[in-house]
Amino acid sequence: MNAIIKISFGLIAVALLGAAAFTSDIIPGSASSAEQRLLTKANAALSNTPSIRLQVNGQKLIISGEVPDIETRTRTLARIENADGPGGIVIGGITTIDASALKVIPQLPVADPFIWIAENEGDALVFSGFAPSEAARNYLFQLAEELFGNHEISGTLELASGLPATENQWLKSTDTALRSLSLLKDGVAEANGIQFSLSGEAQDIDSLNKARTSMENVADVFQTQTQLNLRRTPTSIEDLITETVLDDPIISSNIEEPAQTEAVAQLPSCQSNIETAIDQRKIGFSSALADIDINARTQLREIASILADCENIRLQITGHTDSSGNAARNLQLSGYRADAVRAFLISVGAPANRLSTRGAGSAEPITSNATPEGRERNRRIEIEVVSENG
């Protein structure tokens, strides 16, 4: 009887020791040490790829994370399957692989430079450029809806990598730039690499100062630049023409009439000279504005001078806009631009009776309006020689 009791106690002790050994983390041959061995070998097979996470449950390996394509996913699974032989209870290898949480997420293209643009023109806000993630893109469009509730919001932000800072820093700064833009009547907020900029027109001095101060909240890792103007909104075409003429610092308040000369036959070079002057550069405009820049004014003075000496030449001036915003407003704005150019030409000596204007709106683009560069090219003035008798 005593022998039987001793044997029973011995068997129980062996079983308890075996169970302890099997469940202990520190005793070789335990379940935990076996799992750790499998996990170590699986990680070694993947060279500790940070985008992939491994977990072992018995002889089952659970894989989660992201890979850029199907081929990489297939290679990853093959490496793990070969990490510890064919598996099985006796050999003690991996018997099951659960890869349901291993997702294929294509890598984003690199944008260099990483550009983001928001253009506010009239009643339209247009996005272009890039966003670093779907979440960031959604946030910016949602913010635009809140800030520009009465605007038509359009454009696209392509997903790309290549941010010059963290996503949080970039998103904080684009948030700031968009809020600053909402304080302006019209303008453009732009991020180009590490440079954030804001340009445009404010309705009043208070809005201008608030927009400029707001841009100081851009993250310190970025550089900032502001170019803001204050201008009264013209209530009529007469107001707009008056502003355009008087705004030129070179124009005298007393404009002399062009000197009258004896009637002479027109030189054959009249038309070619005017066409050469017209072709020197494009007469363009800032978004939603009818301002003529200094370089264009120099060009228009030359055109006016030639036209004054070519008595039988007439010019037609056509204003064009891009497709942003309301079509009816674009048609009106294009007419304003043409009239502003005509007013300037008259102010520097061009005969008024030989200048006609028309507004084409956005109906005659010379390139696609899908990009900021394309829209800038479509905002233009075209001057055409419509007759020559001489």
Side-chain angles (χ1 to χ4, degrees):
M1 187 67 177
N2 290 336
I4 295 174
I5 293 174
K6 289 180 180 179
I7 292 172
S8 298
F9 276 115
L11 292 174
I12 292 173
V14 170
L16 291 174
L17 288 172
F22 190 73
T23 57
S24 173
D25 290 340
I26 61 174
I27 300 176
S30 69
S32 295
S33 66
E35 288 180 354
Q36 185 59 48
R37 177 178 61 81
L38 294 177
L39 183 60
T40 300
K41 289 195 173 185
N43 274 321
L46 296 179
S47 302
N48 295 315
T49 306
S51 62
I52 299 177
R53 296 170 293 281
L54 302 177
Q55 179 183 354
V56 175
N57 184 1
Q59 290 177 264
K60 177 181 180 180
L61 184 68
I62 303 169
I63 310 173
S64 60
E66 299 175 358
V67 289
D69 48 55
I70 292 294
E71 291 76 10
T72 302
R73 189 179 191 276
T74 302
R75 288 198 303 270
T76 298
L77 296 180
R79 288 178 183 176
I80 292 174
E81 289 173 352
N82 297 325
D84 197 49
I89 296 176
V90 177
I91 299 176
I94 298 168
T95 58
T96 306
I97 296 178
D98 180 358
S100 59
L102 182 61
K103 306 298 182 182
V104 176
I105 308 294
Q107 290 184 339
L108 296 176
V110 178
D112 184 19
F114 199 96
I115 295 174
W116 169 85
I117 299 172
E119 295 182 272
N120 175 27
E121 180 175 358
D123 55 359
L125 180 74
V126 183
F127 281 116
S128 57
F130 305 101
S133 67
E134 185 72 32
R137 177 167 61 187
N138 291 341
Y139 175 82
L140 290 172
F141 272 93
Q142 182 179 351
L143 180 62
E145 293 283 355
E146 296 173 4
L147 297 175
F148 300 87
N150 297 324
H151 286 53
E152 176 188 349
I153 298 173
S154 61
T156 58
L157 293 174
E158 302 292 338
L159 297 184
S161 61
L163 279 179
T166 68
E167 181 169 330
N168 284 341
Q169 290 170 326
W170 183 86
L171 195 56
K172 172 193 172 185
S173 301
T174 49
D175 178 296
T176 295
L178 201 56
R179 292 181 188 275
S180 303
L181 180 63
S182 70
L183 298 170
L184 302 179
K185 182 177 64 174
D186 297 289
V188 178
E190 179 176 356
N192 189 331
I194 63 169
Q195 178 77 53
F196 271 78
S197 61
L198 178 70
S199 60
E201 283 194 336
Q203 187 71 43
D204 51 61
I205 190 64
D206 185 52
S207 298
L208 186 148
N209 289 333
K210 284 182 179 178
R212 181 174 287 130
T213 302
S214 176
M215 284 296 288
E216 296 175 0
N217 293 320
V218 168
D220 292 340
V221 295
F222 297 107
Q223 300 172 0
T224 59
Q225 179 180 357
T226 58
Q227 186 176 1
L228 306 179
N229 300 313
L230 180 66
R231 184 179 291 268
R232 173 174 60 88
T233 303
T235 57
S236 67
I237 188 59
E238 289 77 15
D239 287 343
L240 185 143
I241 292 174
T242 301
E243 279 190 0
T244 302
V245 174
L246 296 182
D247 187 53
D248 192 327
I250 305 176
I251 297 176
S252 168
S253 58
N254 296 316
I255 301 171
E256 296 182 1
E257 292 294 327
Q260 299 297 318
T261 59
E262 295 182 4
V264 294
Q266 299 299 299
L267 297 175
S269 61
C270 266
Q271 180 168 345
S272 63
N273 286 347
I274 284 186
E275 289 175 345
T276 298
I278 292 171
D279 293 339
Q280 282 181 8
R281 68 188 299 274
K282 171 200 163 190
I283 300 172
F285 293 86
S286 299
S287 177
L289 305 181
D291 294 334
I292 306 171
D293 64 35
I294 296 299
N295 290 331
R297 293 178 185 191
T298 301
Q299 179 186 9
L300 291 174
R301 284 191 182 88
E302 182 178 354
I303 294 172
S305 176
I306 299 172
L307 186 64
D309 291 335
C310 297
E311 296 180 359
N312 294 323
I313 295 286
R314 290 197 309 109
L315 300 180
Q316 178 170 278
I317 305 163
T318 303
H320 300 269
T321 70
D322 60 35
S323 62
S324 303
N326 181 272
R329 183 183 179 281
N330 284 339
L331 185 61
Q332 181 186 52
L333 178 60
S334 66
Y336 281 178
R337 288 173 173 169
D339 287 338
V341 170
R342 179 177 184 272
F344 183 83
L345 285 169
I346 294 171
S347 74
V348 292
N353 62 343
R354 288 194 272 129
L355 297 172
S356 60
T357 63
R358 77 180 183 96
S362 58
E364 301 173 11
I366 56 175
T367 187
S368 170
N369 281 294
T371 65
E373 294 79 10
R375 291 191 290 275
E376 192 276 333
R377 288 187 62 196
N378 287 331
R379 294 191 294 265
R380 70 195 191 279
I381 283 289
E382 291 180 347
I383 302 177
E384 180 184 5
V385 176
V386 292
S387 70
E388 178 182 22
N389 300 312

